[in-house]
Amino acid sequence: MAMLWKFMRVAKYSKTALSPKVKVRGIPTHSRYSSSKSIPSDFAANTPCSNTVELLGKAYPQDDYSNVTEKILSKVGKNLHNTKHHPLWLVKEQVKDHFYKQYIGRRGTPVFSVYDGLSPVVTVQQNFDSLLIPQNHASRRKEDNYYLNRDHMLRAHTSAHQWDLIHSGLDAFLAVGDVYRRDTIDNTHYPVFHQMEGVRLFSCHELFSSIKDGEGLQLFEQGHRTAHKQECHTMEAVRLVEFNLKQVLTKLMMHIFGDGLQVRWVDCYFPFTHPSFEMEINFQGEWMEVLGCGVMEQQLVNSAGAQDKIGWAFGLGLERLAMILYDIPDIRLFWSEDERFLKQFIVPHIWQKIEFQPLSRYPPLINDISFWLPSETYSKNDFYDLARTIGGDLIEKVVLVDEFTHPKTKKVSHCYRIIYRHPERTLTQDEVHHIHQAIEESAVRELGVEGRF
């Protein structure tokens, strides 16, 4: 439930060998236990011809919305969150362990079921429409998402599975997986990251049974919408759901980071929850946002077949938690195959305290690139995607350092500073020069810019 977020042609410098097809997995059964089977971690994409994309055993015809690159396709099926002893796996398992032990049903089984093998390919309807996100909402833009075509995309959040899981009869679950967004390039952003979605629904009896004289309280009313409640919810129901949500998440963070952790809540807005909040924690003197949550929109709950229930949803980023918990300085390290990184997380149990030892900090190499923009359709994310496709994880950061409008022609110029740094070795200026030149040539060819280099 976390916060919401062009080009299909790939430069010749970035051709990737891609693997045979892999079968897509559907919605798991209603088991109250973890469904941990996942897509194999070999490269899972194949592009046999220019007008289709074949991914996880299915072919998707390209159209004017297709913008996913081979670089991104090569990440599909890696499933770092299911790779044993990976830091993202450790964080996922810690959260699972907490929920399994903290919330037990009357029969002694966990209240929450866990789904961490759902396919990352979803429909636009699943990713947006089922969550009541308006057609004109900014989060749908091609500039911010990876579309296979107009109807299918790589999920931008694990909330894409929310409606289906509720519709299948579940009222308490965690959904974990890799998500994909076109974004800026720096040490805390990566086009593929991992989220955990949590949902809990309550019947009238479940919500009010522990309240004195709660028999007369109701979940729903014919009221009006305010900043604090939806028009169909009673204030009593919203207050209890909100209290339960904040209590659940505060306990989780305290369990992961320690009892002395400071937590605060900030009001925010998500289309599919109301009211909604962001949780911030104070870690080593700095306040950091770690998740988003809220009371679920009743229209969403009703459409999924749970008309007599009210509930909450939250979304957290596994990378964000792991970077804070283990003091990992660069998000690219999660994709590293360097044993010096990976061996540090081979521990006897998931709650083992880990004192992360940073890898050697290799020196950066900095190059600038300037060009005139082609038209109003240009997006910075187009350039970020191109740079990442060609430079890959050798690029640590891309920053727009200057924007200039010519006083006569009104043409706009951008200057980007690209910082190259390999996380595991020292780069040479010669190899960076070849990469940088390839980015310049591809920007002219792919994006239609006019170079000033």
Side-chain angles (χ1 to χ4, degrees):
M1 211 261 3
M3 284 63 65
L4 298 175
W5 32 129
K6 133 182 15 63
F7 67 95
M8 184 60 217
R9 296 169 60 200
V10 180
K12 64 182 180 181
Y13 307 93
S14 62
K15 295 298 182 185
T16 306
L18 301 171
S19 78
K21 313 161 191 178
V22 180
K23 291 184 179 179
V24 65
R25 295 187 59 84
I27 297 296
T29 64
H30 298 182
S31 168
R32 282 294 181 184
Y33 300 94
S34 174
S35 173
S36 298
K37 293 180 181 179
S38 58
I39 300 159
S41 20
D42 295 326
F43 286 164
N46 187 21
T47 52
C49 55
S50 60
N51 61 349
T52 62
V53 176
E54 189 167 319
L55 184 61
L56 305 180
K58 294 186 68 174
Y60 299 90
Q62 296 183 39
D63 56 28
D64 60 326
Y65 253 64
S66 304
N67 67 351
V68 65
T69 66
E70 288 190 46
K71 185 73 176 180
I72 297 302
L73 291 175
S74 72
K75 303 292 186 182
V76 178
K78 291 291 187 179
N79 295 315
L80 301 182
H81 63 289
N82 288 335
T83 303
K84 194 171 183 178
H85 297 301
H86 192 278
L88 298 179
W89 176 84
L90 285 174
V91 172
K92 182 200 74 172
E93 291 298 313
Q94 288 177 21
V95 178
K96 280 174 52 179
D97 183 66
H98 173 76
F99 273 88
Y100 279 176
K101 292 177 179 177
Q102 187 73 30
Y103 307 100
I104 305 296
R106 287 178 294 177
R107 298 182 179 180
T109 57
V111 170
F112 286 83
S113 50
V114 178
Y115 297 83
D116 55 11
L118 301 171
S119 172
V121 179
V122 297
T123 65
V124 172
Q125 194 278 336
Q126 287 176 297
N127 199 80
F128 297 121
D129 298 334
S130 72
L131 299 172
L132 312 179
I133 297 173
Q135 289 288 335
N136 60 351
H137 197 273
S139 64
R140 292 177 177 256
R141 297 183 307 176
K142 288 169 58 177
E143 289 82 359
D144 297 328
N145 298 283
Y146 287 105
Y147 285 92
L148 297 174
N149 52 42
R150 280 186 171 270
D151 298 321
H152 294 86
M153 63 188 297
L154 297 176
R155 62 188 170 203
H157 46 191
T158 46
S159 303
H161 305 291
Q162 197 177 95
W163 190 96
D164 291 320
L165 291 171
I166 295 174
H167 187 66
S168 71
L170 299 176
D171 54 16
F173 59 84
L174 304 175
V176 194
D178 45 340
V179 298
Y180 300 76
R181 297 183 196 166
R182 303 179 74 199
D183 210 338
T184 188
I185 300 177
D186 58 34
N187 68 331
T188 62
H189 292 84
Y190 201 79
V192 189
F193 55 104
H194 299 76
Q195 281 187 345
M196 174 178 285
E197 179 90 2
V199 168
R200 180 74 190 272
L201 301 179
F202 301 90
S203 66
C204 187
H205 173 74
E206 288 171 326
L207 193 61
F208 296 129
S209 61
S210 61
I211 304 298
K212 184 179 180 180
D213 300 324
E215 296 84 0
L217 298 177
Q218 300 294 321
L219 296 179
F220 307 112
E221 69 172 9
Q222 297 298 320
H224 59 279
R225 194 179 187 93
T226 71
H228 306 291
K229 64 180 286 292
Q230 298 173 43
E231 57 272 24
C232 58
H233 291 161
T234 64
M235 184 57 73
E236 295 85 359
V238 172
R239 290 301 188 200
L240 282 173
V241 170
E242 183 182 320
F243 175 77
N244 181 268
L245 169 62
K246 291 182 176 180
Q247 188 179 50
V248 165
L249 294 174
T250 299
K251 283 183 179 179
L252 173 63
M253 291 301 131
M254 294 293 188
H255 197 64
I256 292 177
F257 293 104
D259 292 337
L261 188 73
Q262 292 178 277
V263 173
R264 70 182 182 190
W265 298 93
V266 180
D267 292 348
C268 64
Y269 168 75
F270 301 119
F272 43 102
T273 56
H274 177 79
S276 51
F277 317 92
E278 290 177 352
M279 173 190 266
E280 295 181 349
I281 65 172
N282 192 308
F283 193 78
Q284 298 180 347
E286 182 181 357
W287 285 100
M288 292 171 283
E289 180 266 317
V290 293
L291 58 83
C293 60
V295 179
M296 293 185 67
E297 283 288 339
Q298 198 60 37
Q299 183 181 343
L300 189 163
V301 177
N302 291 348
S303 69
Q307 296 90 337
D308 58 342
K309 296 181 180 180
I310 181 176
W312 51 248
F314 73 81
L316 58 84
L318 296 185
E319 278 88 349
R320 175 65 59 87
L321 293 185
M323 291 180 81
I324 297 172
L325 183 62
Y326 303 125
D327 199 22
I328 297 175
D330 193 326
I331 197 170
R332 294 177 301 166
L333 286 170
F334 291 109
W335 297 88
S336 174
E337 297 180 356
D338 191 328
E339 287 191 356
R340 294 174 300 163
F341 175 76
L342 296 174
K343 280 186 174 180
Q344 297 188 51
F345 301 96
I346 301 177
V347 290
H349 59 84
I350 60 174
W351 294 104
Q352 173 76 43
K353 185 175 177 58
I354 298 173
E355 297 287 345
F356 177 68
Q357 300 298 315
L359 306 184
S360 300
R361 195 63 171 165
Y362 296 99
L365 292 174
I366 300 172
N367 288 259
D368 291 351
I369 180 172
S370 300
F371 46 75
W372 297 104
L373 305 191
S375 68
E376 295 179 357
T377 61
Y378 173 85
S379 165
K380 286 188 292 185
N381 280 348
D382 291 344
F383 179 70
Y384 295 149
D385 227 11
L386 183 146
R388 181 177 273 122
T389 296
I390 297 173
D393 289 350
L394 300 184
I395 297 180
E396 179 179 77
K397 192 173 185 178
V398 180
V399 184
L400 177 62
V401 293
D402 184 61
E403 187 170 357
F404 167 72
T405 301
H406 194 282
K408 293 184 178 179
T409 66
K410 302 303 179 183
K411 294 177 66 175
V412 178
S413 170
H414 278 188
C415 178
Y416 295 89
R417 178 154 296 156
I418 304 179
I419 300 175
Y420 300 86
R421 192 201 308 258
H422 198 294
E424 300 162 5
R425 64 177 177 85
T426 299
L427 290 173
T428 67
Q429 185 60 58
D430 185 57
E431 62 183 316
V432 166
H433 171 74
H434 287 297
I435 297 169
H436 198 75
Q437 187 177 27
I439 293 174
E440 291 175 340
E441 294 172 357
S442 293
V444 173
R445 183 174 62 251
E446 304 291 340
L447 303 182
V449 303
E450 181 183 342
R452 300 182 67 189
F453 30 83

